Amino acid sequence: MISRKSLLGVAAFCAAWLISPQGVVAQQRGGVLSVATVGEPPTLDPMASTADLVGIVTQHIFETLYTFDKTWHVTPLLAESLPEVSADGKAYSIKLRQGVKFHSGETMTSADVVASLKRWSDVASRGKQAAARIDKIEAAGANTVRISLKAPYAPLLALLAFNNSAAVVMPAGKQAVPLGDPIGTGPYRLKERKADQYIQLVRFDGYQSRTGDANGYGGARKQYLDEIRFVPVPDPNTRIEAAVAGQHGFVDALPVEAYDRLKNQKASEPVLVKPFGYPVFVLNTRQGSTSSADVRRAIRTALNMEDLLAAAFGSKEFYALDGAIYPKGHAWHTMAGVEGAYNIGDPEKAKALLKKAGYDGKPIRILTSRQYEFHYKMAQVASEYLKLAGFAIDLQVVDWATLTQRRSNPALWDIYITHSPFLPEPALIGALSENAPGWWATPARKSTVDAFVGEIDHQKRGALWAEVQKTIYAETPFIKIGDFNSLAAQSRKLGGVAAAPWPYFWNAYLKN
């Protein structure tokens, strides 16, 4: 289990989320909300992808046993309560809420949950991460599920709560791979999907909300809106203009340079999550030039992180130079491994590492997308630094859906550029899993990560996380660039939306 103490520091980094802009207007029922997204999600199977866009859309259709409240503590969703955990930390007994309906009209039982968790263990990268430590998943009656572990595993509840590579619950008979009909228990159900036009979700009239108040992703989920339409708008400048014009109720993932322009607009207002997370370069450790640790270290050595951040975000109001995976003040902050290994920006030193590695001059394939414009800007600057160090560069600019498909094939890339929010549990970081694209699988990774996830005492886990971060810098499976803030925009007619890393629209309403 995640210690409550382990997440206290997270609250300071989620202050923008703690105040939901309800205003003084009573919630209105009805209306259609249009949400502009960075593109078309590659799938509507939330288990099959770690793409944030998949989680943003599908969290309205599917639900998990647990989720996170506004201070990033695990809280029940489809589970009735937090699990009963055995004294040895190896058995979790989970009672389910009764009377929960799927969009198909079936009532959820333990059989559906067991089948879903087994599918998650087979299909999802984070499910596979947990599967190695799970002995069995079984029903203990119609409304109870028992998970037996081979050894204590601290991140289990966080993994079950996460909406990314998510352990969602589906009907036992609707679990084909690839997924056919996306049928969940969520407040909205899929009505229609037109590729590159929209994904139309409509209110599920059989939805069973939790009682009480809304609480982050937890608590009550009210269905004020009749319909939510997710509309792909890949070009960032088009998203900016759409926000200024009030064309959509919510516009996600805007370039931060649009902030000043949005501040005084009549139709829309900026939504800033500060700090949001960090851009990251993920390296292919399985094959190709970057399978060499010396080549990976040469790449990191060549990069001037401040120049990359300045190109991506402009003003220091929107970024911070920081090599620690978690920033100062966070519960998981440590500087272990960072000194002398971050923001080096020394192409000559990188050349020496390349010579040691026997680099053959084969182009380094950098996979990026302009749908996240800051990714592309960082790729351009990184390419120039790497060329100075003696690398040949093949910069491949594709749409985000194509990137998420290509990164699953180790023959197609060497570096891909992405970003991550500051996650409440470090084990949720996808690159720590040897099943995630990048495929970091070394003895040092196994020993440090296994020790970290197997320890349930928070005080001990802090020191063990420091060892993981040291190993990340020593072996360089991915490169953190720095910290950044994220920007979105919402209509001034939209209420009930909280600033959150994965925006959600239950509890949202349109004002008259």
Side-chain angles (χ1 to χ4, degrees):
M1 291 179 63
I2 290 183
S3 163
R4 186 174 183 85
K5 186 176 180 181
S6 73
L7 296 180
L8 291 178
V10 180
F13 289 87
C14 302
W17 194 13
L18 303 186
I19 303 173
S20 180
Q22 302 292 337
V24 296
V25 180
Q27 291 90 339
Q28 307 290 327
R29 186 174 173 87
V32 177
L33 173 64
S34 176
V35 179
T37 65
V38 297
E40 182 80 6
T43 178
L44 291 183
D45 183 349
M47 294 187 187
S49 177
T50 58
D52 284 345
L53 182 54
V54 173
I56 288 169
V57 175
T58 61
Q59 66 186 341
H60 298 82
I61 303 171
F62 297 98
E63 295 179 312
T64 46
L65 292 171
Y66 300 98
T67 188
F68 294 105
D69 68 16
K70 63 187 178 182
T71 54
W72 292 104
H73 296 112
V74 174
T75 191
L77 185 54
L78 290 176
E80 181 64 38
S81 57
L82 291 175
E84 296 178 7
V85 183
S86 63
D88 63 3
K90 295 196 293 184
Y92 286 63
S93 182
I94 301 170
K95 293 183 179 178
L96 308 176
R97 290 168 54 206
Q98 298 185 38
V100 173
K101 298 286 187 182
F102 289 107
H103 300 157
S104 58
E106 303 166 81
T107 300
M108 182 189 74
T109 70
S110 57
D112 302 302
V113 176
V114 169
S116 297
L117 292 180
K118 288 181 176 179
R119 184 183 189 272
W120 177 67
S121 300
D122 292 337
V123 172
S125 61
R126 289 187 173 85
K128 292 175 183 177
Q129 186 178 337
R133 296 165 174 85
I134 294 174
D135 182 32
K136 56 185 174 181
I137 304 168
E138 58 190 341
N143 298 298
T144 304
V145 171
R146 183 177 294 117
I147 301 175
S148 300
L149 303 176
K150 298 172 184 176
Y153 184 51
L156 180 61
L157 280 189
L159 285 167
L160 293 177
F162 201 27
N163 76 345
N164 185 286
S165 188
V168 298
V169 177
M170 310 171 177
K174 295 286 186 180
Q175 305 214 5
V177 180
L179 186 65
D181 297 331
I183 295 174
T185 62
Y188 291 86
R189 60 179 178 83
L190 178 67
K191 182 176 181 181
E192 185 177 24
R193 180 181 187 181
K194 286 195 173 183
D196 299 316
Q197 294 185 49
Y198 60 80
I199 296 170
Q200 180 188 20
L201 307 185
V202 296
R203 183 190 294 114
F204 172 42
D205 290 330
Y207 181 65
Q208 301 291 321
S209 173
R210 295 193 72 91
T211 57
D213 297 328
N215 187 358
Y217 293 95
R221 294 183 169 187
K222 303 294 186 183
Q223 303 162 284
Y224 298 118
L225 299 167
D226 293 334
E227 181 181 320
I228 306 170
R229 286 198 177 207
F230 293 94
V231 180
V233 184
D235 182 71
N237 291 322
T238 303
R239 289 200 301 280
I240 293 171
E241 295 307 318
V244 170
Q247 184 179 347
H248 302 277
F250 191 92
V251 182
D252 196 26
L254 291 170
V256 293
E257 57 264 29
Y259 181 72
D260 287 339
R261 188 175 175 200
L262 285 168
K263 280 193 298 188
N264 300 311
Q265 294 296 329
K266 292 182 179 180
S268 300
E269 60 187 335
V271 178
L272 195 65
V273 179
K274 182 179 182 179
F276 172 86
Y278 54 97
V280 60
F281 287 20
V282 180
L283 293 96
N284 182 349
T285 70
R286 178 173 286 181
Q287 67 183 75
S289 297
T290 53
S291 63
S292 163
D294 282 326
V295 169
R296 298 197 299 271
R297 284 190 285 267
I299 291 169
R300 189 191 67 213
T301 300
L303 298 179
N304 182 307
M305 307 308 187
E306 189 161 17
D307 283 356
L308 268 68
L309 290 165
F313 302 109
S315 169
K316 287 187 177 181
E317 182 180 359
F318 298 106
Y319 73 85
L321 199 64
D322 183 9
I325 304 300
Y326 286 89
K328 189 175 181 180
H330 196 286
W332 294 109
H333 173 72
T334 174
M335 292 300 293
V338 175
E339 187 175 355
Y342 173 75
N343 193 35
I344 302 171
D346 189 338
E348 292 303 317
K349 186 175 181 180
K351 279 184 182 179
L353 284 169
L354 278 187
K355 184 176 180 180
K356 176 184 175 183
Y359 171 62
D360 60 5
K362 188 175 181 179
I364 300 296
R365 297 158 298 175
I366 302 176
L367 203 54
T368 191
S369 172
R370 296 201 70 166
Q371 285 164 257
Y372 293 104
E373 185 72 4
F374 68 97
H375 292 186
Y376 174 68
K377 290 177 178 179
M378 287 189 298
Q380 288 181 302
V381 176
S383 294
E384 296 307 311
Y385 273 102
L386 294 176
K387 288 174 185 176
L388 289 173
F391 285 99
I393 298 298
D394 177 11
L395 183 60
Q396 300 182 5
V397 184
V398 299
D399 63 85
W400 187 247
T402 299
L403 185 149
T404 61
Q405 291 168 354
R406 286 191 188 177
R407 70 183 180 185
S408 65
N409 185 341
L412 298 181
W413 61 278
D414 300 297
I415 300 172
Y416 82 85
I417 300 177
T418 185
H419 63 270
S420 173
F422 296 115
L423 301 172
E425 158 62 51
L428 295 175
I429 297 171
L432 296 187
S433 169
E434 61 184 29
N435 297 305
W439 305 282
W440 183 33
T442 65
R445 185 218 67 87
K446 180 173 175 54
S447 62
T448 55
V449 173
D450 283 2
F452 173 66
V453 300
E455 179 56 66
I456 60 176
D457 182 280
H458 173 65
Q459 296 300 328
K460 295 178 181 178
R461 292 192 82 213
L464 291 170
W465 169 244
E467 291 303 310
V468 175
Q469 184 171 286
K470 282 171 64 176
T471 305
I472 291 168
Y473 269 96
E475 299 198 341
T476 322
F478 63 89
I479 302 170
K480 180 187 174 183
I481 307 303
D483 302 338
F484 80 103
N485 308 328
S486 73
L487 178 66
Q490 72 175 59
S491 167
R492 295 186 184 274
K493 295 180 180 179
L494 181 64
V497 177
W502 302 280
Y504 56 92
F505 304 101
W506 57 84
N507 301 329
Y509 58 91
L510 297 172
K511 307 170 188 175
N512 287 337

